[in-house]
Every structure is written in C-alpha cells, then in structure tokens.
C-alpha cells in the first residue's frame, strides 16, 4: 500500500574506514606548536564525527609532545602526521617540516691543531651553531674578529699577518635568542 505521506529516514555513518590528518602549518621552527585535525570517513565517504583517534608521528623522536590536538616537535626534520582509529585501513598523512630555530649557541675551533703556526699558514675555523633545542643551523652567517691583524682568505679561513698570539672571536651575524 502506497502512502502520500512523506516518511523520514535517518542515515548514520558506518564504521571508520579512512582517516585524514591535517596540520595547521606544514613548516614551522623547532619548538613551535601546530594544531592537528583528524577526520574519519566510512566506506561510503560519510564523515564519522567523534570517532576516537590517535595522532602518530613518523619518525617518532625525542622532543615530541602530543597533547589533545596540539603537536610540538623540537628536533628539526621532516615528519608525517597520521591519525589512527580502530578499523580504518586507509590512512592519509599530512607532512610537517620542522626547521632549526634562531641561533642560541656556538662552538668554534681550528680545523688543524698545532702548538705553533707559521705566519703564512692558512687557518680555518670550524664553527657549529645550534638553536636552543640542539639543532644544527646550516650555513650560518659568521663574522671573525681578532686581537691582531688577520688576512681574510675566504669564509672562516685566514692567514696571520704578524708573529704573536692571536685571540679570535667568532660571532653569528643574524639575531639570536
């Protein structure tokens, strides 16, 4: 028997079969916090709101904090952020690039160690600059200052001009923390 009265039908999503992770920013400095959103869908592409999920970071690393929907990574690198939920077989990750923060520390030494150097020896200073989390900053802009005259020889290489003791100071040109 057919009726002219419309019937109400309510459709509920099925169990999650696909998860999609989204980060609020895809590139941040070390120690910054990003928001992670997890969306779950059933086999018919209906959103499954409120399904439990776990945020997973690959590769897992020390210096990683996940609290609620906030993710903080202190170690510079490239990461894939995923949301896992029971039963979901299709997992779509989002990429996160973490770059070193501003310079916080510098360590410098001569590349060759000798007790005595000749006046025309080419000396090179090896400087390692890190952020507050210990991430190495690639190609930092450095400047050299000396208590005695040095002849620059490109980059952090130089030649002593006169005989005597030299005290060389290496500094980072860009702002530091």
């Amino acid at each position: 028997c057919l009726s002219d009265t419309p019937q109400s039908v309510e459709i509920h999503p099925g169990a999650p079969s696909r998860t999609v992770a989204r980060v609020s920013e895809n590139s941040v400095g070390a120690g910054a916090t990003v928001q992670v959103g997890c969306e779950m869908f059933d086999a018919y592409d209906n959103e499954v709101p409120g399904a439990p999920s776990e945020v997973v970071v690959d590769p897992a690393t020390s210096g990683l904090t996940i609290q609620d929907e906030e993710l903080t990574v202190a170690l510079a690198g490239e990461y894939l952020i995923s949301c896992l939920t029971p039963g979901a077989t299709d997992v779509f990750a989002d990429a996160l690039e973490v770059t070193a923060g501003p310079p916080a520390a510098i360590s410098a030494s001569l590349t060759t160690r000798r007790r005595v150097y000749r006046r025309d020896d080419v000396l090179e200073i090896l400087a390692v600059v890190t952020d507050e989390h210990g991430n190495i900053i690639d190609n930092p802009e450095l400047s050299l200052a000396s208590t005695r005259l040095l002849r620059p020889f490109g980059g952090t290489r130089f030649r002593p001009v006169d005989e005597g003791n030299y005290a060389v100071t290496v500094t980072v040109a860009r702002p530091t923390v």
Side-chain angles (χ1 to χ4, degrees):
C1 164
L2 295 173
S3 168
D4 290 336
T5 307
Q7 298 296 315
S8 176
V9 175
E10 191 172 326
I11 299 174
H12 296 280
S17 67
R18 178 171 56 101
T19 66
V20 178
R22 300 197 195 290
V23 293
S24 57
E25 296 178 63
N26 291 104
S27 182
V28 296
T33 299
V34 295
Q35 301 295 315
V36 178
C38 296
E39 298 174 316
M40 277 72 63
F41 300 91
D42 67 10
Y44 299 99
D45 210 27
N46 296 305
E47 188 171 353
V48 183
S53 65
E54 175 187 5
V55 175
V56 176
V57 179
D58 184 33
T61 180
S62 61
L64 171 70
T65 306
I66 302 172
Q67 187 166 351
D68 299 324
E69 295 177 351
E70 294 185 338
L71 169 65
T72 305
V73 182
L75 185 62
E78 294 181 3
Y79 300 92
L80 288 176
I81 314 303
S82 303
C83 298
L84 302 182
T85 191
T89 55
D90 294 328
V91 177
F92 294 90
D94 202 358
L96 176 64
E97 176 188 34
V98 178
T99 58
I106 186 170
S107 173
S109 64
L110 288 171
T111 56
T112 56
R113 290 220 164 234
R114 290 186 270 178
R115 288 177 32 100
V116 177
Y117 299 91
R118 292 189 321 207
R119 199 171 33 189
D120 283 331
D121 283 346
V122 175
L123 306 177
E124 183 173 8
I125 292 181
L126 174 65
V128 177
V129 179
T130 57
D131 68 8
E132 65 182 313
H133 303 285
N135 296 303
I136 295 175
I137 297 171
D138 295 325
N139 304 313
E141 196 175 320
L142 302 173
S143 63
L144 301 177
S146 175
T147 55
R148 300 178 68 105
L149 184 61
L150 296 174
R151 190 170 335 134
F153 203 71
T156 56
R157 298 183 315 159
F158 60 92
R159 287 185 171 162
V161 174
D162 297 319
E163 293 179 6
N165 292 322
Y166 285 75
V168 178
T169 303
V170 181
T171 55
V172 180
R174 74 179 211 199
T176 60
V177 290

